[in-house]
Amino acid sequence: MIPDNFEYHKPNSITGAISLLSEWGDDARVIAGGHSLIPVMKQRLTDISHLIDLKDIEELKGISISNGIVKIGAMTTQHELIQSEELAKTVPLIREASLQIADPQVRYLGTLGGNVANGDPANDMPGLMQTLNASYELKGPDGTRNVDAREFYEAAYFTAREDEEILSSISFAVPNGGYAYEKQKRKIGDYATAAAGVLIEVENNICKTASIALTNLSDTPVFCQNAVKILIGNKLDEPTIQEAVTACVDASEPVADVRGPVEFKKYVAGIIVRKAITNALARA
Amino acid sequence: MNETIPPKEERMTALNGLGSSRKRVEDARFTQGKGNYVDDIKLSGMLFGDFVRSPYAHARVKSINTEAALAVPGVHAVITAADLEPLKLHWMPTLAGDVQMVLADGKVLFQGQEVAFVVADNRYAADDGIKAVEVEYEELPVIVDPFKAELEGAPVLREDIADKKEGAHGPRRHPNHIFTWESGDRDATESVIAEADVVAEEMIYYHRTHPCPLETCGSVASMDKVNGKLTVWGTFQAPHAVRTVASLISGIAEHNIRIISPDIGGGFGNKVGVYPGYICSIVASIVTGAPVKWIEDRMDNLMATAFARDYWMQGKISATKDGKITGLWCHTTADHGAFDACADPTKFPAGFMNICTGSYDIPTAFLTVDGIYTNKAPGGVAYRCSFRVTEAAYFIERMIEVLAIKLGMDSAELRVKNFIRKEQFPYQSALGWEYDSGDYHTAWEKALTAVNYTKLRQEQAERIEAFHRGETRKLIGIGLSHFTEIVGAGPVKNCDILGLGMFDSCEIRIHPTGSAIARLGTISQGQGHATTFAQILASEIGIPAEDITLEEGDTDTAPYGLGTYGSRSTPVAGAATAMAGRKIRAKAQMIAAYLLEVHDNDLEWDVDRFVVKGAPERFKTMKEIAFASYSQAIPGVEPGLEAVSYYDPPNMTFPFGAYICVMEVDVDTGTTEIRQVFALDDCGTRINPMIIEGQVHGGLTEALAIAMGQELAYDELGNVITGTLMDFFIPTAWETPNYQTDYTETPSPHHPIGAKGVGESPNVGGVPAFSNAVHDAFKSFGLTQSHMPHDHWRVWKIADRLGLHD
């Protein structure tokens, strides 16, 4: 449980970090909160000879809300997300979900950027960002580009981010209507057995907009396109909700692990999605 | 002699003796991070050693190349079995009469097994060295299921003893078979069961888990080549036994070995055994001439040092139509892993599993236990219980439930009908134990009343109806448990470890000014010995507990004892403390008689002083007597005031308790929510009620963990799949329910102060209470047995199999 030797860099600007990444290529990795990276380094499951700590880069921090757009710096910690009263008022879904991540000690260090950029299907924030239809800002040697959260994840730990790019911030429009993030886990600090983020907007008893994404039920977060189609434009009665839940479960592809076999995870996915839809609807 | 004597009550309170909820004297340093644990030991020039461990559960070791590792900066030595062989240290004896590889000798038999020991300047360099050791393995077929170990074509695991037909505990019928142990009357039991009105039969599995103390195992060895003295600081629950064993193995004279157990961060049985790390740190210190430290990390601890449980218990229980139990039969298949390293008294290869008749008057019983080798880590220690007692308690408390289902009887009523009655004590059990004392009916009644059992059953019935009407998806489970422990090992006539009798000891020295030091053969791992043993002594010799220093764990200074595990400290060392105190008091009486110019028999003891009978104004306090013992020449009495007692208990003690857990079970998610836990303990005389309550809370939390999710799980290749705290369940405050505790007090008739021991009761009684609650929730839907741990998916699976998801 001791990492191999590595060089430690602590740049104070994004350009500084990018130039280090460019210089050291495959041998370098950026570190944010470190909750995913440090354990694999300690087990020597990864060979990293240059660690680039983003902690001192002020441009990567902070939460701003203006003109209906929320922009969160990648190095904003989960604790800061929970603490922001403005965010809690504007997008209460963020606090609801963040409070279900691990425990306070983890959240003091864990960052939004690290959580979404790592591509770990067990992380909560990627699914949450797909629910919010967030956009990730990526900065690299060739400039800045944006990728939708719903397009970002390719497979477990494989994302649209290039090796020399840094995920710098996350933006999304302030959602309307009801919200919920539901998660079943074995204990505090655990990843989800199944989790779901839901947004629902209802007008005149008809679902106007909806969004559903699942966590840890496939090798990437699952945005439930079919379920959303079933909900939008319809009255959210029991048969419709059941149909949407079924569509979500069908979209999931969990694998068996110590949390349980596939049939259990799919069943619980259905229960959790239903709870999330019901809660969101009650708040819509 | 003329001041007013404070009232008796006031003087007793001032002593903080038996029954006082005195605050723990240890906590000041523990809560401030000022404890002194093995890893806090830092010696000049100290090196650090760590292991290359096997990634495979079963493989031949074709070659080990250490060349590259030795070239790593900071690496001093790489030790392999080949290096240990000339010293005859490549294998070591286990506590169970088997032998175990210190380092892989030709093959590896479990994942995480120690293959080579790299010694370096620090743990960073050691890890670099580990990475550079090249080991060539050839994988072999793996046995993880003990029921497959004796099938035709099964690989032979222990080639070293493949031809040995006789093991430490009798004949072996197969190379992968360790022993068969029998207790009770086979023929009588089988005929009682054959003729019974009702027989319930079930396989009860108590899964493999791990004590997982907060502090992992470790040692610091320092060989002083000038004076030839070896000092080892280590996480030892039995330091004196370690010294003797170390001397026998190494050939170093026992007086030249000093074993020190400093503060220990929890043991729970994990620190009873002798581990390759201890041996390797000692050898490395001898080889390098420098002190060498070895400390496990969490994954090492879970993978390689002693596990607990892993008992497959096939049971049959018979009764009359109206529920009087007539017989109990049990056949246990015990998965001991690759080496038999169970920590049991020598004559008990399955520990005290034959306490499995529990709290019940069962006239006929028979038990067999088959020990089996598999490709898993060795161990089989008593995880917060006396030897295999929690397995026994779980078995009988499940069998009672299974029988109640078969009889169509309420299981609380079935227990009442079969409890050993108060007047039957001392009670001879069918499997050979003499239960010292108990009053089970009173404890049980108190527990049922406390939770309002009748009303709970009513609520449960209503909930089931609501469930059938589709109004709820949650069921209520009421988990009952009445356990009887057997602790305080034990009488030397039948209890020894490696031939060392399981007595214990206490040595007391009273200082001239009337304070004292007491040294014991035990070692606290968080139990609060420094607090409670001082209380025993305070009541015996009339010196305030605050004025008594307790010391344990240094073999150079402490009297010989067999250590702390199996709730033996209070029953054995606690008794020795009281007996040594009585010797002090006897001598003090002679001194007081001389000072007061009366005959010994004219004095009577009064809390903290001797008083002349009929003349209460004439007395000598213990403080005065102590000073006199050092300052006056008393004819016929040696100077000083010291005593030592080695206590060989006449019998074990039998604490008991009544536990009830009320649980809500969600049939869809498999999640459970504990609504109420009521725990009534009877540990005989209560020394410190606050510490008892703390012990009960802690033990219940470990029981909760075991019953609800804690598991050392292996895949079919023998890989440990729960090797980190992400997957190995340790409850946090969040998962821990509120506990409601109560007690009755039935003193042990043979213990000097009537105390029985309590540290392990809550684990023994708690596991069946939690597990029975889960079973009880599904009982009316047809469930009789489902194996632990009851984590979400397994509970969901119960509901699924019963058709509750259709």
Side-chain angles (χ1 to χ4, degrees):
Chain A
M1 290 296 278
I2 304 282
D4 208 341
N5 285 317
F6 58 85
E7 290 289 326
Y8 177 76
H9 307 271
K10 205 172 177 189
N12 55 18
S13 69
I14 295 178
T15 40
I18 292 168
S19 74
L20 282 165
L21 271 178
S22 307
E23 187 180 349
W24 300 111
D26 261 3
D27 292 339
R29 283 286 295 276
V30 298
I31 183 166
H35 288 306
S36 304
L37 188 56
I38 289 174
V40 293
M41 287 176 71
K42 280 183 162 183
Q43 290 180 68
R44 303 200 180 200
L45 295 174
T46 180
D47 233 358
I48 295 165
S49 36
H50 293 272
L51 201 58
I52 304 166
D53 194 339
L54 303 180
K55 203 176 290 149
D56 277 0
I57 305 177
E58 285 305 317
E59 335 159 48
L60 290 174
K61 292 177 186 170
I63 302 166
S64 72
I65 306 171
S66 66
N67 302 323
I69 299 292
V70 178
K71 186 174 178 188
I72 303 172
M75 286 298 285
T76 306
T77 65
Q78 287 136 15
H79 173 72
E80 287 161 347
L81 293 177
I82 292 165
Q83 289 298 303
S84 166
E85 289 304 330
E86 201 188 358
L87 194 58
K89 218 161 59 189
T90 330
V91 196
L93 176 61
I94 298 276
R95 183 182 278 182
E96 176 159 306
S98 300
L99 281 169
Q100 296 180 63
I101 295 175
D103 54 53
Q105 283 170 305
V106 168
R107 299 194 295 253
Y108 288 137
L109 282 176
T111 65
L112 176 57
N115 197 289
V116 299
N118 194 37
D120 183 342
N123 284 352
D124 291 282
M125 287 299 183
L128 187 72
M129 291 306 134
Q130 291 199 344
T131 310
L132 287 161
N133 197 16
S135 171
Y136 300 159
E137 182 188 69
L138 301 167
K139 292 196 166 174
D142 302 330
T144 304
R145 65 184 180 118
N146 290 288
V147 178
D148 284 350
R150 291 175 189 173
E151 304 295 328
F152 186 71
Y153 300 96
E154 293 162 356
Y157 305 103
F158 285 92
T159 67
R161 187 184 62 83
E162 298 294 335
D163 281 350
E164 290 165 14
E165 286 180 318
I166 288 172
L167 194 153
S168 49
S169 70
I170 295 101
S171 314
F172 52 87
V174 172
N176 295 316
Y179 64 91
Y181 192 79
E182 282 292 325
K183 178 176 178 180
Q184 179 165 334
K185 55 187 173 183
R186 296 171 299 176
K187 58 177 179 180
I188 282 296
D190 195 16
Y191 293 119
T193 300
V198 173
L199 287 167
I200 292 177
E201 204 182 343
V202 178
E203 217 172 74
N204 302 324
N205 274 330
I206 298 294
C207 175
K208 188 182 167 197
T209 64
S211 177
I212 304 176
L214 312 178
T215 292
N216 216 11
L217 287 163
S218 182
D219 67 342
T220 62
V222 181
F223 177 65
C224 302
Q225 187 68 50
N226 289 343
V228 167
K229 278 187 194 152
I230 290 162
L231 296 177
I232 294 176
N234 283 309
K235 192 162 173 275
L236 298 185
D237 51 13
E238 175 49 34
T240 309
I241 291 173
Q242 183 52 48
E243 210 186 321
V245 168
T246 306
C248 289
V249 173
D250 289 345
S252 73
E253 289 176 78
V255 289
D257 60 18
V258 282
R259 288 177 189 79
V262 170
E263 69 269 24
F264 161 71
K265 289 190 173 185
K266 286 213 158 210
Y267 191 96
V268 170
I271 301 290
I272 292 297
V273 168
R274 170 177 286 277
K275 260 191 209 169
I277 292 176
T278 311
N279 287 355
L281 197 53
R283 288 158 165 174
Chain B
M1 246 191 254
N2 40 24
E3 81 268 37
T4 337
I5 306 171
K8 202 178 180 107
E9 286 300 318
E10 203 175 290
R11 286 181 289 130
M12 280 174 74
T13 308
L15 291 180
N16 266 325
L18 291 182
S20 160
S21 280
R22 177 186 185 216
K23 282 191 179 166
R24 288 163 38 110
V25 296
E26 298 91 339
D27 287 351
R29 69 176 190 278
F30 290 154
T31 55
Q32 294 179 57
K34 297 276 169 59
N36 184 38
Y37 299 92
V38 174
D39 205 17
D40 293 318
I41 309 282
K42 291 181 178 74
L43 304 176
S44 168
M46 188 175 75
L47 304 176
F48 188 88
D50 204 357
F51 286 109
V52 174
R53 291 180 182 276
S54 170
Y56 301 110
H58 195 196
R60 209 161 290 292
V61 177
K62 308 275 280 184
S63 67
I64 303 175
N65 186 345
T66 61
E67 211 173 306
L70 286 166
V72 169
V75 170
H76 290 248
V78 181
I79 298 170
T80 65
D83 303 310
L84 296 179
E85 195 173 355
L87 307 166
K88 302 226 180 316
L89 287 175
H90 55 318
W91 289 73
M92 62 180 183
T94 70
L95 296 180
D98 195 0
V99 287
Q100 176 178 346
M101 288 180 209
V102 174
L103 290 168
D105 183 20
K107 72 191 288 198
V108 286
L109 287 157
F110 65 92
Q111 189 185 44
Q113 189 181 330
E114 300 81 359
V115 174
F117 192 67
V118 176
V119 186
D121 283 337
N122 52 54
R123 61 181 76 202
Y124 299 91
D127 230 33
D128 291 342
I130 287 167
K131 204 185 167 196
V133 174
E134 293 158 17
V135 186
E136 193 189 340
Y137 297 98
E138 177 194 317
E139 284 184 75
L140 296 169
V142 169
I143 301 175
V144 288
D145 177 353
F147 293 102
K148 291 183 179 159
E150 293 172 75
L151 297 182
E152 201 169 314
V156 172
L157 304 190
R158 292 289 301 281
E159 287 159 358
D160 59 307
I161 51 165
D163 300 329
K164 271 181 80 177
K165 300 277 178 235
E166 192 77 18
H169 307 290
R172 297 170 69 224
R173 59 172 184 246
H174 185 280
N176 295 331
H177 170 246
I178 310 170
F179 65 84
T180 296
W181 187 61
E182 294 190 356
S183 177
D185 188 334
R186 179 199 294 264
D187 295 340
T189 307
E190 283 174 359
S191 79
V192 161
I193 287 172
E195 290 156 17
D197 296 350
V198 180
V199 179
E201 181 167 4
E202 201 58 64
M203 171 66 93
I204 311 291
Y205 178 47
Y206 197 141
H207 60 288
R208 181 174 278 235
T209 182
H210 193 282
C212 196
L214 194 56
E215 178 205 27
T216 57
C217 297
S219 57
V220 176
S222 178
M223 182 75 202
D224 185 330
K225 288 192 172 172
V226 176
N227 64 15
K229 191 144 181 155
L230 171 69
T231 306
V232 187
W233 292 259
T235 45
F236 308 128
Q237 287 184 234
H240 300 274
V242 167
R243 186 186 67 190
T244 303
V245 173
S247 173
L248 292 173
I249 296 176
S250 67
I252 301 172
E254 201 166 357
H255 70 283
N256 277 333
I257 301 176
R258 181 181 182 190
I259 301 292
I260 301 171
S261 297
D263 282 334
I264 295 185
F268 312 114
N270 183 240
K271 293 166 181 167
V272 173
V274 174
Y275 296 121
Y278 302 155
I279 309 268
C280 287
S281 65
I282 292 170
V283 172
S285 178
I286 293 170
V287 169
T288 61
V292 175
K293 177 185 279 187
W294 163 72
I295 300 282
E296 287 178 322
D297 67 27
R298 180 61 58 196
M299 288 169 78
D300 297 341
N301 180 252
L302 285 172
M303 274 203 308
T305 44
F307 78 93
R309 326 294 194 230
D310 216 346
Y311 260 31
W312 292 88
M313 301 170 284
Q314 182 73 37
K316 288 182 216 172
I317 188 165
S318 63
T320 60
K321 287 191 295 289
D322 58 350
K324 187 80 191 96
I325 300 170
T326 55
L328 179 73
W329 179 94
C330 176
H331 178 262
T332 295
T333 302
D335 184 339
H336 282 217
F339 306 97
D340 187 13
C342 288
D344 294 314
T346 306
K347 294 186 187 73
F348 298 89
F352 304 148
M353 179 62 194
N354 56 347
I355 191 73
C356 64
T357 52
S359 309
Y360 310 100
D361 182 14
I362 302 179
T364 321
F366 178 64
L367 164 75
T368 46
V369 181
D370 275 334
I372 304 294
Y373 288 123
T374 62
N375 289 116
K376 298 181 194 167
V381 293
Y383 169 10
R384 204 175 183 140
C385 69
S386 195
F387 315 100
R388 300 295 188 182
V389 172
T390 186
E391 288 91 329
Y394 184 64
F395 169 73
I396 185 64
E397 288 304 293
R398 283 298 311 135
M399 289 309 290
I400 290 287
E401 293 293 323
V402 171
L403 177 63
I405 291 169
K406 191 102 182 183
L407 287 163
M409 190 188 252
D410 181 276
S411 66
E413 192 190 323
L414 179 62
R415 285 181 174 85
V416 170
K417 199 161 200 142
N418 290 284
F419 279 143
I420 299 163
R421 294 183 316 279
K422 191 178 170 183
E423 63 274 14
Q424 287 177 283
F425 292 95
Y427 171 82
Q428 296 291 335
S429 82
L431 295 177
W433 295 110
E434 185 186 294
Y435 291 28
D436 59 350
S437 65
D439 182 358
Y440 300 165
H441 286 95
T442 301
W444 192 243
E445 195 50 48
K446 222 174 157 180
L448 294 183
T449 308
V451 301
N452 203 341
Y453 182 66
T454 317
K455 199 167 154 226
L456 273 177
R457 284 289 175 208
Q458 225 167 7
E459 188 192 347
Q460 184 186 41
E462 282 160 16
R463 181 71 70 85
I464 291 166
E465 279 169 31
F467 180 84
H468 286 305
R469 288 195 301 268
E471 292 163 12
T472 180
R473 298 295 287 165
K474 284 186 183 175
L475 301 171
I476 296 175
I478 304 162
L480 305 178
S481 162
H482 190 289
F483 65 94
T484 295
E485 264 246 269
I486 169 168
V487 305
V492 173
K493 63 177 187 282
N494 60 2
C495 289
D496 69 273
I497 286 183
L498 295 175
L500 303 168
M502 295 180 75
F503 59 84
D504 226 290
S505 59
C506 176
E507 194 179 279
I508 302 167
R509 187 180 305 165
I510 311 291
H511 307 311
T513 53
S515 61
I517 182 165
R519 296 189 169 104
L520 287 86
T522 44
I523 174 70
S524 183
Q525 304 125 40
Q527 290 90 340
H529 289 179
T531 307
T532 50
F533 288 133
Q535 290 183 248
I536 295 176
L537 212 45
S539 287
E540 291 291 341
I541 62 175
I543 290 176
E546 277 68 21
D547 294 346
I548 303 168
T549 297
L550 255 289
E551 255 187 35
E552 302 174 302
D554 183 340
T555 57
D556 264 10
T557 55
Y560 206 98
L562 265 276
T564 295
Y565 42 86
S567 275
R568 67 184 298 281
S569 298
T570 294
V572 192
T577 305
M579 297 310 272
R582 286 171 197 182
K583 288 183 186 175
I584 294 278
R585 211 163 85 185
K587 183 171 177 183
Q589 186 164 2
M590 289 194 274
I591 296 168
Y594 170 79
L595 297 174
L596 292 163
E597 296 176 354
V598 295
H599 191 271
D600 288 5
N601 295 339
D602 295 332
L603 293 175
E604 61 187 2
W605 177 249
D606 178 28
V607 183
D608 54 357
R609 66 198 66 206
F610 279 104
V611 180
V612 176
K613 287 177 190 166
E617 74 290 352
R618 296 188 62 208
F619 60 82
K620 284 287 169 193
T621 65
M622 222 26 214
K623 213 177 155 95
E624 292 168 321
I625 296 165
F627 196 76
S629 76
Y630 285 90
S631 59
Q632 299 201 28
I634 302 168
V637 179
E638 287 179 3
L641 196 49
E642 295 187 16
V644 57
S645 170
Y646 280 71
Y647 187 80
D648 178 10
N651 189 8
M652 316 289 273
T653 61
F654 297 76
F656 62 94
Y659 290 4
I660 298 174
C661 164
V662 186
M663 195 183 276
E664 298 264 346
V665 181
D666 186 319
V667 301
D668 285 330
T669 58
T671 53
T672 49
E673 189 192 329
I674 289 165
R675 232 169 67 176
Q676 186 179 13
V677 180
F678 174 85
L680 179 148
D681 274 281
D682 191 319
C683 57
T685 303
R686 289 154 52 86
I687 299 165
N688 182 322
M690 182 198 68
I691 286 188
I692 291 171
E693 194 175 4
Q695 287 275 27
V696 172
H697 283 214
L700 281 170
T701 305
E702 282 179 323
L704 170 84
I706 295 166
M708 306 311 289
Q710 187 179 86
E711 173 189 21
L712 207 51
Y714 287 78
D715 68 12
E716 70 278 9
L717 293 173
N719 298 307
V720 178
I721 57 172
T722 52
T724 76
L725 296 189
M726 176 60 89
D727 294 314
F728 186 85
F729 178 41
I730 302 278
T732 66
W734 189 269
E735 289 85 17
T736 305
N738 189 36
Y739 300 124
Q740 202 182 334
T741 59
D742 200 353
Y743 69 97
T744 55
E745 198 161 347
T746 314
S748 168
H750 63 75
H751 187 279
I753 61 165
K756 289 186 170 186
V758 74
E760 304 176 328
S761 292
N763 200 327
V764 173
V767 173
F770 293 118
S771 178
N772 280 346
V774 174
H775 284 92
D776 185 70
F778 293 104
K779 193 169 68 183
S780 64
F781 298 89
L783 177 71
T784 43
Q785 173 63 22
S786 182
H787 299 319
M788 294 190 291
H790 305 299
D791 48 4
H792 297 172
W793 76 266
R794 287 181 173 97
V795 172
W796 178 87
K797 199 97 188 163
I798 297 172
D800 202 55
R801 287 205 183 107
L802 295 173
L804 304 184
H805 297 148
D806 302 337

